Amino acid sequence: MAKSRLACRECHFVNDADIQNCTNCGSSSLTEDWAGYVIIPHPEQSEIATEMNVTEPGSYALKVR
């Protein structure tokens, strides 16, 4: 069974389940309660990244509760 991944409440970055702080922004506000998933490989060329204020490549949750 796969581990639940944690989404950061600050930047929506999706992190591995065994960490304490977000690897993207350093926030300790992580949650398992998120929905939707988008992978942004080239944020400088992405309209979605612009809408989400994403500047680093990676996996992001669309909705974080």
Side-chain angles (χ1 to χ4, degrees):
M1 184 172 157
K3 291 183 183 179
S4 295
R5 298 185 77 193
L6 301 172
C8 177
R9 287 187 176 105
E10 303 298 322
C11 70
H12 292 211
F13 190 78
V14 177
N15 298 273
D16 291 330
D18 58 349
I19 64 157
Q20 299 296 318
N21 293 321
C22 177
T23 55
N24 188 44
C25 72
S27 171
S28 62
S29 183
L30 304 175
T31 182
E32 291 180 348
D33 192 8
W34 57 276
Y37 187 73
V38 63
I39 299 170
I40 301 177
H42 303 287
E44 65 281 349
Q45 301 171 358
S46 170
E47 290 180 31
I48 294 171
T50 302
E51 282 293 317
M52 293 179 67
N53 296 319
V54 169
T55 59
E56 296 297 322
S59 302
Y60 293 86
L62 295 175
K63 184 174 183 179
V64 178
R65 295 177 202 97

